[in-house]
CSV table of all heavy atoms in Angstrom, one decimal:
chain,number,residue,atom,x,y,z
A,169,TRP,N,46.3,-17.2,-24.7
A,169,TRP,CA,47.4,-16.8,-25.4
A,169,TRP,C,47.0,-16.2,-26.8
A,169,TRP,O,47.6,-15.2,-27.3
A,169,TRP,CB,48.3,-18.0,-25.7
A,169,TRP,CG,49.1,-18.4,-24.6
A,169,TRP,CD1,49.1,-19.6,-23.9
A,169,TRP,CD2,50.2,-17.8,-24.0
A,169,TRP,NE1,50.0,-19.6,-23.0
A,169,TRP,CE2,50.7,-18.6,-23.0
A,169,TRP,CE3,50.9,-16.4,-24.2
A,169,TRP,CZ2,51.8,-18.1,-22.1
A,169,TRP,CZ3,51.9,-16.1,-23.4
A,169,TRP,CH2,52.3,-16.9,-22.3
A,170,ASN,N,45.8,-16.7,-27.3
A,170,ASN,CA,45.3,-16.2,-28.6
A,170,ASN,C,44.9,-14.8,-28.6
A,170,ASN,O,44.8,-13.9,-29.6
A,170,ASN,CB,44.3,-17.0,-29.2
A,170,ASN,CG,44.3,-17.0,-30.7
A,170,ASN,OD1,45.3,-16.9,-31.3
A,170,ASN,ND2,43.1,-17.3,-31.3
A,171,LYS,N,44.6,-14.3,-27.4
A,171,LYS,CA,44.2,-12.8,-27.1
A,171,LYS,C,45.4,-11.9,-27.2
A,171,LYS,O,45.3,-10.8,-27.3
A,171,LYS,CB,43.4,-12.7,-25.9
A,171,LYS,CG,42.0,-13.4,-25.9
A,171,LYS,CD,41.4,-13.2,-24.6
A,171,LYS,CE,40.1,-13.8,-24.6
A,171,LYS,NZ,39.4,-13.7,-23.1
A,172,ARG,N,46.6,-12.5,-27.0
A,172,ARG,CA,47.8,-11.7,-27.0
A,172,ARG,C,48.8,-12.4,-27.9
A,172,ARG,O,49.9,-12.9,-27.4
A,172,ARG,CB,48.5,-11.8,-25.5
A,172,ARG,CG,47.3,-11.2,-24.6
A,172,ARG,CD,47.8,-11.4,-23.1
A,172,ARG,NE,46.8,-10.9,-22.1
A,172,ARG,CZ,45.8,-11.7,-21.7
A,172,ARG,NH1,45.6,-12.9,-22.3
A,172,ARG,NH2,44.9,-11.2,-20.8
A,173,PRO,N,48.6,-12.3,-29.3
A,173,PRO,CA,49.4,-13.1,-30.2
A,173,PRO,C,50.9,-12.5,-30.2
A,173,PRO,O,51.8,-13.3,-30.3
A,173,PRO,CB,48.8,-12.8,-31.5
A,173,PRO,CG,47.9,-11.6,-31.3
A,173,PRO,CD,47.5,-11.7,-29.7
A,174,SER,N,51.1,-11.2,-29.9
A,174,SER,CA,52.5,-10.8,-30.0
A,174,SER,C,53.3,-11.2,-28.8
A,174,SER,O,54.4,-11.5,-28.9
A,174,SER,CB,52.4,-9.2,-30.0
A,174,SER,OG,51.9,-8.8,-31.2
A,175,LEU,N,52.6,-11.3,-27.6
A,175,LEU,CA,53.2,-11.8,-26.5
A,175,LEU,C,53.5,-13.2,-26.7
A,175,LEU,O,54.7,-13.7,-26.2
A,175,LEU,CB,52.4,-11.6,-25.3
A,175,LEU,CG,52.8,-11.9,-23.8
A,175,LEU,CD1,54.0,-11.1,-23.5
A,175,LEU,CD2,51.7,-11.8,-22.7
A,176,ALA,N,52.6,-14.0,-27.2
A,176,ALA,CA,52.8,-15.5,-27.4
A,176,ALA,C,54.0,-15.6,-28.4
A,176,ALA,O,54.9,-16.4,-28.1
A,176,ALA,CB,51.6,-16.1,-28.0
A,177,ASP,N,54.1,-14.8,-29.4
A,177,ASP,CA,55.2,-14.9,-30.4
A,177,ASP,C,56.5,-14.7,-29.8
A,177,ASP,O,57.5,-15.3,-30.1
A,177,ASP,CB,54.8,-14.0,-31.6
A,177,ASP,CG,55.8,-14.3,-32.8
A,177,ASP,OD1,55.8,-15.2,-33.3
A,177,ASP,OD2,56.5,-13.3,-33.1
A,178,ALA,N,56.6,-13.6,-28.9
A,178,ALA,CA,57.8,-13.2,-28.3
A,178,ALA,C,58.4,-14.2,-27.4
A,178,ALA,O,59.5,-14.4,-27.2
A,178,ALA,CB,57.6,-11.9,-27.5
A,179,LEU,N,57.4,-15.0,-26.9
A,179,LEU,CA,57.8,-16.1,-25.9
A,179,LEU,C,58.2,-17.4,-26.8
A,179,LEU,O,59.2,-18.0,-26.7
A,179,LEU,CB,56.8,-16.5,-25.0
A,179,LEU,CG,56.7,-15.7,-23.7
A,179,LEU,CD1,55.5,-16.0,-22.8
A,179,LEU,CD2,58.0,-15.7,-22.9
A,180,PHE,N,57.2,-17.8,-27.5
A,180,PHE,CA,57.3,-19.2,-28.3
A,180,PHE,C,58.5,-19.2,-29.4
A,180,PHE,O,59.0,-20.2,-29.8
A,180,PHE,CB,56.0,-19.6,-28.9
A,180,PHE,CG,55.1,-19.9,-28.0
A,180,PHE,CD1,53.6,-19.4,-28.1
A,180,PHE,CD2,55.2,-20.8,-26.9
A,180,PHE,CE1,52.7,-19.7,-27.1
A,180,PHE,CE2,54.4,-21.2,-26.0
A,180,PHE,CZ,53.0,-20.6,-26.1
Side-chain angles (χ1 to χ4, degrees):
W169 285 113
N170 209 31
K171 291 178 181 177
R172 303 167 181 83
S174 297
L175 184 61
D177 188 63
L179 281 175
F180 290 133

